[in-house]
């Protein structure tokens, strides 16, 4: 067994650094490249492809909220969900590749159950988000950006 001695000051700095890292990981911002919508009848429609507007996703696991901010020339809305339960899955085999998922059980604005699943590949900055809200399934393809 190997023991490493850290002075009290180094312990405080290391602890602070770890807390900042954990706190940062709890707030995420994604910019959506495209989004498809699938209805209960099975038809799939591309509802956003990056032209003429933007969709930004803000996830705050500390505040237990996730919001999809749609800004289009003729349509602007924020779809906000309250997170009831979150589960981050990081399989050991994929940790070095930066691949993991976050599964969220949420409530929509009407208080109905819905789910948000986020699949993350940190190496290539590819984020896939699937929202199941009532009879609709929204598939978002996004990238993570720095919070400002």
């Amino acid at each position: 067994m190997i023991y490493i001695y850290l002075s009290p000051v180094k312990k405080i700095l290391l602890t602070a650094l770890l807390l900042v890292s954990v706190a940062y990981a709890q707030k995420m911002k994604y910019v959506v490249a495209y989004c498809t919508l699938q209805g209960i009848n099975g038809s799939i429609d591309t509802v956003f492809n990056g032209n003429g507007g933007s969709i930004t996703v803000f996830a705050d696991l500390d505040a237990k909220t996730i919001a999809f901010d749609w800004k289009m020339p003729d349509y602007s809305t924020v779809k906000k969900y309250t997170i009831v339960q979150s589960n981050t899955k990081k399989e050991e085999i994929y940790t070095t590749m930066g691949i993991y998922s976050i599964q969220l059980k949420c409530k929509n604005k009407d208080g109905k159950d819905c789910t948000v699943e986020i699949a993350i590949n940190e190496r290539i900055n590819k984020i896939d988000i699937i929202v199941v809200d009532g009879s609709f399934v929204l598939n978002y393809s996004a990238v993570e950006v720095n919070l400002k």
Side-chain angles (χ1 to χ4, degrees), residues 25-30 57-68 79-89 100-108 112-120 127-133 140:
Q26 299 301 309
K27 295 180 183 182
M28 299 153 286
K29 179 180 176 183
Y30 306 119
V57 182
F58 299 97
D60 188 341
L61 300 182
D62 293 328
K64 297 195 180 294
T65 60
I66 186 163
F68 295 79
K79 307 269 186 198
K80 191 170 184 181
Y81 298 92
T82 302
I83 300 169
V84 177
Q85 181 182 2
S86 67
N87 182 20
T88 302
K89 291 188 174 185
Y100 64 97
S101 68
I102 303 172
Q103 298 172 339
L104 307 171
K105 291 184 181 179
C106 304
K107 297 278 185 186
N108 64 15
K112 294 184 179 177
D113 292 335
C114 55
T115 60
V116 177
E117 294 187 15
I118 305 170
I120 300 167
I127 314 298
D128 291 314
I129 304 168
I130 300 171
V131 178
V132 179
D133 189 355
Y140 296 90

Side-chain angles (χ1 to χ4, degrees), residues 2-148:
I2 299 172
Y3 292 99
I4 299 173
Y5 173 75
L6 292 175
S7 69
V9 173
K10 287 183 181 176
K11 284 182 185 177
I12 291 170
L13 290 174
L14 181 61
T15 303
L17 179 65
L18 289 173
L19 289 175
V20 169
S21 297
V22 170
Y24 173 74
Q26 299 301 309
K27 295 180 183 182
M28 299 153 286
K29 179 180 176 183
Y30 306 119
V31 174
V32 174
Y34 66 89
C35 175
T36 58
L37 171 72
Q38 184 171 352
I40 196 162
N41 62 0
S43 64
I44 296 175
D45 185 21
T46 300
V47 293
F48 177 76
N49 64 3
N51 295 332
S54 66
I55 302 173
T56 307
V57 182
F58 299 97
D60 188 341
L61 300 182
D62 293 328
K64 297 195 180 294
T65 60
I66 186 163
F68 295 79
D69 188 0
W70 290 63
K71 289 189 172 132
M72 307 297 162
D74 56 347
Y75 179 73
S76 183
T77 189
V78 176
K79 307 269 186 198
K80 191 170 184 181
Y81 298 92
T82 302
I83 300 169
V84 177
Q85 181 182 2
S86 67
N87 182 20
T88 302
K89 291 188 174 185
K90 291 187 176 186
E91 298 291 333
E92 188 175 329
I93 190 169
Y94 298 114
T95 302
T96 57
M97 293 184 264
I99 298 172
Y100 64 97
S101 68
I102 303 172
Q103 298 172 339
L104 307 171
K105 291 184 181 179
C106 304
K107 297 278 185 186
N108 64 15
K109 68 177 182 171
D110 299 326
K112 294 184 179 177
D113 292 335
C114 55
T115 60
V116 177
E117 294 187 15
I118 305 170
I120 300 167
N121 186 329
E122 291 177 330
R123 273 198 181 167
I124 60 172
N125 193 16
K126 181 171 176 11
I127 314 298
D128 291 314
I129 304 168
I130 300 171
V131 178
V132 179
D133 189 355
S135 60
F136 296 102
V137 177
L138 291 135
N139 293 295
Y140 296 90
S141 181
V143 294
E144 186 169 10
V145 295
N146 291 331
L147 285 167
K148 292 184 181 179

